[in-house]
Amino acid sequence: MSLQGRIVCVTGASSGIGAACVDAFAEAGARLLLCARRGDRLHESVAGLRAAGVEAHAFELDVREREAVAAAFADLPQDWQAIDILVNNAGLSRGLDPIQSGLLDDWDEMLETNVQGLLYVSRAVLPGMIERGSGHLINIGSIAGREVYPNGAVYCASKHAVGAITKGMRLDLNGTGVKVSTVDPGLVNTEFSKVRFHGDEAKADKTYQGMTPLVGADVASVVRWVAEQPAHMNIAEVLVFPSDQASATVVHRR
Ligand code: NDP
Ligand code: 8X3
């Protein structure tokens, strides 16, 4: 399906996979709706996109704030309301700790962002899609939604929840014309590990040491491909690893 002129909303568009999705969809001729908390980054992206002739609109959003999420989508300018594709990408990990010493604030932030946030945004966007009889939700899951690794119980739980929500959405939306997909990456070198380790760059870099991780653009090309399929065809799930990765914990390092 051509993406020309389609409205694509990307949450977490200020960095990593989300920012790369913005570029990939812009290249395909889509109109881009960007949101995240760091508005300065979004406005810089929008300026660049507009300079390149791409229609783009940004708004600051913390997906954890349920009233703000509902208001932000309800208050979109009229010509940005009819979202065709929602990329539910905003998410994070905090900490890599055994369950018995994990930080409660880390747990709250992961669950509120990755689970509640995704639900709030979806709830705001879905009624319009259903009314129009078409739309596509593409959730960014993770290998962490398919496996559990040591010290990652809560992040993995949040991504398992995303997997369950994706499946449940597909059931509930069957027959409405709205497609639901998940793209589940393995190791991707973004700001993800820096955020996980609360800004400790040395620790973050170790995550990708001796192996070749994916980059945001690799995942974005898959997300775009999922969105480009014809209306009668839904790529329900994609698991995408770097070639050096075989499971959540088996990674070839040189
Ligand atoms: P980044 O840290 O580079 O990007 C995360 C994005 O999420 C940022 O744009 C950030 O924007 C946004 N975000 C975080 N919290 C909120 C919030 N409360 N409200 C709105 N936006 C928020 O990491 P990635 O690009 O790697 O992560 C994107 C997604 O991919 C996440 O869901 C992650 O779980 C998933 N993923 C990542 C993998 C990896 O190895 N990197 C592998 C598998 C899945 P801002 O801070 O400006 O709000
Ligand atoms: C991110 C991939 O393996 O760091 O979801 O959890 S992993």
Side-chain angles (χ1 to χ4, degrees), residues 142-144 149 155 186-187 192 196:
S142 172
I143 180 59
Y149 50 82
Y155 178 69
L187 289 161
F192 177 86
R196 163 168 269 173

Side-chain angles (χ1 to χ4, degrees), residues 11-18 35-38 61-64 88-93 113-114 140-143 155 159 184-192 195 208:
T11 68
S14 61
S15 172
I17 295 169
C35 60
R37 291 166 301 177
R38 286 170 291 179
L61 187 69
D62 185 332
V63 296
R64 296 170 296 178
N88 266 323
N89 164 77
L92 44 69
S93 66
T113 308
N114 301 355
I140 305 300
S142 172
I143 180 59
Y155 178 69
K159 287 298 183 177
D184 300 346
L187 289 161
V188 193
N189 194 352
T190 61
E191 292 178 14
F192 177 86
V195 172
Y208 313 108

Side-chain angles (χ1 to χ4, degrees), residues 115-203:
V115 184
Q116 273 106 309
L118 180 144
L119 287 169
Y120 298 156
V121 173
S122 303
R123 183 65 181 80
V125 172
L126 276 170
M129 288 182 169
I130 293 167
E131 209 177 295
R132 291 186 294 279
S134 74
H136 197 165
L137 257 62
I138 304 178
N139 296 332
I140 305 300
S142 172
I143 180 59
R146 295 169 180 247
E147 295 180 36
V148 181
Y149 50 82
N151 306 324
V154 179
Y155 178 69
C156 292
S158 77
K159 287 298 183 177
H160 275 69
V162 171
I165 290 164
T166 299
K167 290 190 181 104
M169 284 173 160
R170 208 178 291 123
L171 297 174
D172 294 349
L173 295 167
N174 184 243
T176 64
V178 180
K179 301 200 281 191
V180 185
S181 306
T182 183
V183 173
D184 300 346
L187 289 161
V188 193
N189 194 352
T190 61
E191 292 178 14
F192 177 86
S193 293
K194 193 173 146 197
V195 172
R196 163 168 269 173
F197 296 118
H198 295 278
D200 185 334
E201 300 219 19
K203 233 171 162 180

Side-chain angles (χ1 to χ4, degrees), residues 57-79:
H57 177 77
F59 56 102
E60 277 178 40
L61 187 69
D62 185 332
V63 296
R64 296 170 296 178
E65 305 290 337
R66 70 175 181 187
E67 273 91 27
V69 170
F73 284 95
D75 295 346
L76 280 173
Q78 197 56 40
D79 55 341

Side-chain angles (χ1 to χ4, degrees), residues 223-253:
V223 174
R224 175 176 154 177
W225 171 75
V226 166
E228 280 173 337
Q229 300 312 309
H232 73 278
M233 175 169 165
N234 184 25
I235 307 294
E237 301 183 2
V238 183
L239 173 63
V240 52
F241 276 148
S243 302
D244 283 334
Q245 184 169 15
S247 77
T249 51
V250 177
V251 178
H252 176 66
R253 296 183 195 270

